[in-house]
Amino acid sequence: MEITEKFVTTNPCYTAGKKINVKGLMLHSVGCPQPSAEVFIKQFDNPASKVCVHAFIDANTGMVYQTLPWDYKAWHCGANANSTHIGVEMCEPPCIRYTGGSTFTCSDEQKAREMVMRTLNSAVKLFAFLCKKYGLKPIEDGVIISHKEGHDRGMASGHGDPDHLFRQLNMGYTMDNFRRAVAAAMDSEIAQPVAAPTPVKGEMEISAKGIELIAGYEGCRLEAYKCPAGVWTIGYGHTAGVQQGQTLPSKEAAKELLKEDLKKYAGYVNNCVKKGLITFPLNQNQFDALTSFCYNCGNGNLQKLVEGRDAATVADKLLAYNKGGGKVLPGLARRRADERALFLS
């Protein structure tokens, strides 16, 4: 994450210089099809402006532009939370068109989801930084809220953002997902903003949650069988040294073989980090999801999936690997959807 200072020095919120005791953070989206933060900065750097936020996140780049000192009182939510919460606006995709209130149509949902996830990815890092700076706990009630949640609490005006984006773009994402992501990001080394995400250090291992996801889709057979490729297989897809007539005593034994097999595929994910193919910090759920994908689709497809992409794009591109013989397979579609949900949680 990179934070660029673009203080709106002629805006009344800046010139007044009133300070707040920061008790929380509020996430907004701009409510119009404009991805460029620079457009809003120019608009708000105006002595006649009645409103201001602390930062905008550009939807094209994910860049964070700070427009007010963090502890200045802004006018971002139209009610009491202006005196307690820092307000951050995410810019929105150009392919949406508002038809009334927070309802919109979208001409390119995939592009819109990619852009929203790009801004969310930056917002997670920014909110984690701010929580550390002000000693805030992101999971505690009322610390991180959306504009909609602020309204529901009587702390903000009647807006539906950014929850309306999650719902109408069918993203399977909620503010609870966002708060958990911020909490996870606080475990990383983000005490100060950095110019670019830092890859994970050291080796990661797949967790029990990831193993259960893979096991659920692989299925378990305790007697050796020939897979469609003619290879003797047993348990949850184990092939090394398997012979005709071989059996396993239990699913637990099969799962131990699976754990050993997954070390190889977890290694492929770690290698993508070492080679710089994965440039965003991996949390445990992201690592598990990519290991599951690699076990199913192979190391080559893993490298194609992650190379040169941010986390939001990887999450969306996962869904494309759902075909066999040129046809969408329901089982693969479900697996990709579950891997994506884990990746984003």
Side-chain angles (χ1 to χ4, degrees):
M1 179 190 67
E2 182 178 352
I3 298 175
T4 299
E5 287 188 1
K6 288 272 188 173
F7 289 163
V8 286
T9 56
T10 66
N11 186 284
C13 290
Y14 184 92
T15 57
K18 293 182 179 179
K19 299 292 188 72
I20 64 172
N21 180 16
V22 178
K23 296 181 179 179
L25 314 171
M26 184 175 287
L27 185 65
H28 301 261
S29 63
V30 293
C32 64
Q34 176 53 259
S36 172
E38 299 270 10
V39 170
F40 294 101
I41 294 167
K42 291 177 182 177
Q43 176 184 336
F44 280 37
D45 198 2
N46 182 343
S49 179
K50 302 295 184 182
V51 296
C52 197
V53 296
H54 293 88
F56 288 93
I57 302 176
D58 192 288
N60 290 317
T61 64
M63 180 79 75
V64 176
Y65 292 89
Q66 183 183 357
T67 47
L68 289 175
W70 301 120
D71 62 349
Y72 273 34
K73 182 178 180 179
W75 190 256
H76 59 88
C77 69
N80 294 341
N82 286 320
S83 299
T84 56
H85 284 59
I86 291 172
V88 175
E89 291 270 11
M90 300 187 299
C91 295
E92 295 188 12
C95 50
I96 62 177
R97 292 292 179 270
Y98 282 88
T99 57
S102 60
T103 302
F104 61 80
T105 60
C106 182
S107 60
D108 189 340
E109 282 198 6
Q110 181 175 342
K111 179 181 179 180
R113 285 193 293 267
E114 288 178 359
M115 296 185 86
V116 173
M117 286 309 303
R118 183 177 298 123
T119 57
L120 281 169
N121 189 46
S122 293
V124 165
K125 297 167 191 169
L126 175 61
F127 276 43
F129 162 66
L130 291 171
C131 281
K132 281 199 169 185
K133 181 178 179 67
Y134 290 102
L136 304 175
K137 296 180 180 180
I139 302 300
E140 284 192 356
D141 185 55
V143 171
I144 293 179
I145 56 176
S146 66
H147 195 160
K148 178 184 182 300
E149 290 174 327
H151 173 254
D152 294 343
R153 290 167 174 266
M155 303 167 63
S157 56
H159 286 236
D161 61 297
D163 308 65
H164 72 302
L165 294 174
F166 310 153
R167 183 181 68 256
Q168 294 177 66
L169 292 175
N170 302 306
M171 295 178 64
Y173 197 89
T174 66
M175 284 300 297
D176 284 337
N177 295 139
F178 181 77
R179 284 182 278 266
R180 286 194 293 267
V182 173
M186 288 181 71
D187 293 332
S188 302
E189 295 180 2
I190 55 167
Q192 296 294 331
V194 294
T198 304
V200 293
K201 299 178 181 179
E203 298 284 329
M204 295 183 73
E205 298 178 355
I206 191 168
S207 72
K209 183 190 295 186
I211 293 170
E212 289 304 320
L213 172 67
I214 295 169
Y217 278 102
E218 292 297 328
C220 182
R221 293 176 65 173
L222 301 182
E223 296 181 3
Y225 65 97
K226 277 191 175 182
C227 73
V231 178
W232 285 105
T233 307
I234 201 167
Y236 295 95
H238 179 73
T239 58
V242 179
Q243 299 178 358
Q244 183 177 6
Q246 185 175 344
T247 62
L248 291 171
S250 64
K251 285 188 175 181
E252 288 71 26
K255 196 163 288 184
E256 289 302 314
L257 286 176
L258 175 62
K259 290 178 182 177
E260 287 300 311
D261 288 342
L262 289 175
K263 291 179 181 178
K264 172 182 176 181
Y265 296 89
Y268 288 141
V269 180
N270 281 316
N271 284 339
C272 284
V273 175
K274 294 175 184 176
K275 294 176 180 178
L277 300 180
I278 295 176
T279 58
F280 51 90
L282 280 178
N283 63 38
Q284 186 63 58
N285 287 345
Q286 290 170 330
F287 184 86
D288 289 353
L290 291 178
T291 302
S292 173
F293 173 86
C294 184
Y295 188 69
N296 183 235
C297 297
N299 185 36
N301 282 323
L302 171 69
Q303 294 184 48
K304 291 178 184 177
L305 172 67
V306 300
E307 186 173 7
R309 289 172 171 164
D310 60 21
T313 304
V314 170
D316 281 346
K317 295 298 183 183
L318 268 170
L319 300 178
Y321 292 80
N322 61 358
K323 298 178 181 66
K327 296 181 179 180
V328 173
L329 302 180
L332 283 181
R334 287 193 297 273
R335 181 167 182 162
R336 295 292 91 82
D338 283 350
E339 287 168 348
R340 180 179 183 273
L342 178 62
F343 188 94
L344 294 174
S345 64

